[in-house]
Amino acid sequence: MTRIRFLLQLQGLGQVGLSRFAAQHGALLQSAFCRQPNLIKNAQRQVIKHFHGSLVCAKRNSVPSAQPLNEDKKSNDSALIHADLFDHVSGTFKTKATFNKAIDVFIKSDVRRRGHVEFIYAALKKMPEFGVERDLAVYNKLLDVFPKGVFVPRNFIQRMFNHYPRQQECGVQILEQMENYGIMPNLETKVLLVQIFGEKGHPVRKYQRIMYWFPKFKELNPWPIPKDLPTDPVDLARFSLARIADDLDAQVTVYQVPHTDVTEKGEHVTLPHIVGIQSPNQIELLAKHNPDRPVFIEGPFPLWLRKTCVHYYILRADPTPADEKEECPYDPESCLAYPLALDLDLDRDMGDDETFDVEICNEGPVFAMCMTGQGDEATLNQWLSGLQQKNPILGQVPVLFLLEGRTTELKISSDKESDSQNSQHEDHQTQDRRSKVEANR
């Protein structure tokens, strides 16, 4: 019987050399056909059915490249559906209450929490719109969306081969967003992670790293920026200039408060704010400045305070030439933290290097700084006029504006002089046109 089945399999495969093998065992086949025809028919059916199944397997193995594309399309479609869920539940009021309501709607819609990974990714993208990107309770509620006890590895082999990788990556993504916004996890976060992924999961290890490093870096900055910056532009300019100057003796002056003025023609004109800062040392340096050498108003320079960008302008001068420099004796008690000279009586070896490797960079002095709502020459000229009250030398020094690549010089002239200059310019243009016409003739 086994020989008969083997010959039928070879016949179905159509192997080469089957004719010789069948000729040698012809008698056996003939006798089998005569004695048990039903058995042979059943064997043929089994062989045909077996090869029919193999063709289907071959077809399935030939299309694996299209499966990831279909999965990506399904995940993108589900993410869009979940994003629409947040918009549908919240409506026009995007608050913490509506965000939590959308999470509750998803949890109650399906007990098995199918599609929870795509829902969490969509929720992470929507958090800044609802203003809950810095709320720890909302992150814990997102972690509560995961099913409990399903993704915990049961043995060391599952733990070694990254048990349920998509879910673990999603949990790590929640912790990374918390890290980016400076949110410190609490004990509830740890309990949720252990219930969902186990004590050796990647999200739990990420939680342990955050809890180790965050307390070390939390109070490391000696000049911290408050979480809530002032909304008033004058107060924000005060805080920014005091942060740049880093001098306790520097005085902040408000030259102009933003307001709306009405002109003689009845037009409403909005005037920007002008806030400046200057220290006594800068006033002293400006008083010693050579009136023949110009000073420059340069800017704008950006300053980032968290997500807010402000711009400031400086009043500076070129470096003093070497022939005009005066060496002044320094006071050793002026700065105890950073002494200007070291007089140490220590035993030196032959290999000791007594010189300091200092990079010398010649920069001119900065006399004052300001922040304003408009960076045009007229507004900066008002700041310069306010500086002349404490720095009368500015009335004798030429001032150049270096604003966004444009170089202009401040010239104070009366209306009659400006009219005469305009008329002279027009006369020169008409003379040039006449000369060109005559040349063409």
Side-chain angles (χ1 to χ4, degrees):
M1 293 302 295
T2 56
R3 291 183 180 180
I4 295 171
R5 291 180 181 177
F6 179 69
L7 290 174
L8 290 174
Q9 289 179 359
L10 291 178
Q11 183 179 1
L13 289 172
Q15 297 290 335
V16 179
L18 182 63
S19 58
R20 294 180 182 179
F21 191 78
Q24 294 177 2
H25 300 79
L28 181 62
L29 288 172
Q30 188 174 4
S31 61
F33 279 121
C34 295
R35 294 177 182 178
Q36 297 178 353
N38 295 329
L39 181 63
I40 295 173
K41 289 181 180 180
N42 294 332
Q44 287 180 348
R45 291 176 183 176
Q46 291 179 0
V47 171
I48 294 172
K49 184 177 180 180
H50 173 70
F51 289 118
H52 180 70
S54 65
L55 291 175
V56 174
C57 294
K59 288 182 180 180
R60 289 181 181 176
N61 294 330
S62 63
V63 197
S65 60
Q67 292 179 358
L69 297 176
N70 296 330
E71 291 180 358
D72 294 340
K73 289 181 180 179
K74 291 180 180 178
S75 62
N76 294 332
D77 295 339
S78 59
L80 292 175
I81 292 172
H82 296 317
D84 294 338
L85 172 63
F86 282 96
D87 296 336
H88 177 70
V89 173
S90 63
T92 57
F93 302 100
K94 294 186 177 182
T95 59
K96 178 181 177 180
T98 55
F99 191 87
N100 291 333
K101 185 178 179 181
I103 297 177
D104 294 335
V105 169
F106 174 78
I107 292 174
K108 295 177 181 178
S109 62
D110 190 358
V111 179
R112 297 181 180 180
R113 312 283 175 86
R114 287 176 291 188
H116 61 275
V117 175
E118 291 79 7
F119 175 78
I120 291 174
Y121 279 126
L124 290 176
K125 292 180 181 179
K126 287 287 184 179
M127 289 180 76
E129 297 182 11
F130 287 80
V132 293
E133 70 274 8
R134 300 183 183 276
D135 197 332
L136 179 59
V138 177
Y139 286 105
N140 290 337
K141 190 158 188 174
L142 274 181
L143 287 174
D144 197 19
V145 174
F146 284 102
K148 308 300 185 296
V150 180
F151 312 125
V152 179
R154 304 301 178 184
N155 48 50
F156 72 96
I157 296 177
Q158 292 180 352
R159 190 181 303 117
M160 182 172 57
F161 285 100
N162 197 7
H163 195 49
Y164 286 98
R166 290 184 67 247
Q167 284 74 12
Q168 293 200 47
E169 290 176 2
C170 184
V172 171
Q173 186 65 32
I174 295 176
L175 295 175
E176 284 185 354
Q177 184 161 329
M178 294 173 62
E179 184 181 5
N180 294 334
Y181 286 106
I183 306 301
M184 176 81 74
N186 57 1
L187 184 60
E188 183 184 356
T189 309
K190 180 181 178 181
V191 172
L192 288 171
L193 292 174
V194 172
Q195 290 177 354
I196 298 167
F197 303 106
E199 296 182 355
K200 300 295 183 181
H202 290 288
V204 177
R205 293 182 179 180
K206 177 69 175 178
Y207 165 83
Q208 293 172 353
R209 289 193 293 269
I210 291 176
M211 296 302 293
Y212 177 80
W213 287 109
F214 257 44
K216 296 181 181 296
F217 292 117
K218 187 175 182 180
E219 306 295 339
L220 189 63
N221 188 5
W223 299 281
I225 301 175
K227 293 183 179 180
D228 299 328
L229 294 172
T231 56
D232 187 15
V234 177
D235 295 337
L236 183 60
R238 284 175 179 271
F239 173 77
S240 304
L241 290 174
R243 186 178 180 85
I244 298 171
D246 192 18
D247 191 352
L248 298 178
D249 297 332
Q251 183 179 2
V252 180
T253 307
V254 180
Y255 297 99
Q256 184 172 284
V257 180
H259 63 281
T260 304
D261 194 6
V262 180
T263 61
E264 297 178 355
K265 298 181 180 179
E267 298 178 354
H268 293 272
V269 179
T270 303
L271 300 178
H273 67 278
I274 303 173
V275 183
I277 188 170
Q278 192 177 30
S279 65
N281 293 332
Q282 290 175 328
I283 296 174
E284 185 179 354
L285 286 174
L286 185 55
K288 296 178 181 179
H289 183 71
N290 187 3
D292 297 334
R293 297 173 55 241
V295 294
F296 304 93
I297 295 179
E298 189 175 357
F301 299 102
L303 174 66
W304 283 95
L305 301 172
R306 296 192 183 275
K307 292 185 178 181
T308 305
C309 182
V310 293
H311 296 83
Y312 65 95
Y313 300 83
I314 62 173
L315 177 67
R316 68 169 184 86
D318 287 333
T320 306
D323 54 351
E324 296 182 7
K325 286 185 178 180
E326 297 180 1
E327 295 184 359
C328 300
Y330 67 93
D331 185 8
E333 297 182 357
S334 61
C335 183
L336 299 177
Y338 302 97
L340 301 179
L342 295 176
D343 188 7
L344 303 176
D345 188 8
L346 301 175
D347 295 335
R348 297 284 182 175
D349 195 4
M350 296 295 293
D352 291 340
D353 188 7
E354 299 182 359
T355 60
F356 293 96
D357 188 8
V358 180
E359 184 179 357
I360 300 175
C361 182
N362 292 326
E363 292 183 355
V366 177
F367 300 124
M369 291 181 294
C370 85
M371 284 187 178
T372 178
Q374 295 180 2
D376 53 353
E377 297 178 12
T379 306
L380 295 175
N381 189 15
Q382 294 181 10
W383 171 53
L384 193 64
S385 302
L387 285 175
Q388 287 185 5
Q389 297 177 5
K390 294 183 179 180
N391 305 275
I393 195 174
L394 288 175
Q396 306 172 7
V397 179
V399 181
L400 297 178
F401 288 87
L402 303 178
L403 307 177
E404 297 180 356
R406 297 176 298 173
T407 304
T408 57
E409 184 176 357
L410 177 63
K411 294 182 180 180
I412 302 175
S413 59
S414 60
D415 296 338
K416 294 181 180 179
E417 292 179 355
S418 60
D419 294 338
S420 62
Q421 290 177 359
N422 293 332
S423 61
Q424 290 177 2
H425 182 67
E426 292 176 357
D427 294 339
H428 287 300
Q429 288 182 349
T430 52
Q431 289 179 3
D432 293 338
R433 291 174 183 173
R434 289 177 181 176
S435 60
K436 289 180 182 180
V437 172
E438 292 177 358
N440 292 331
R441 290 180 181 178

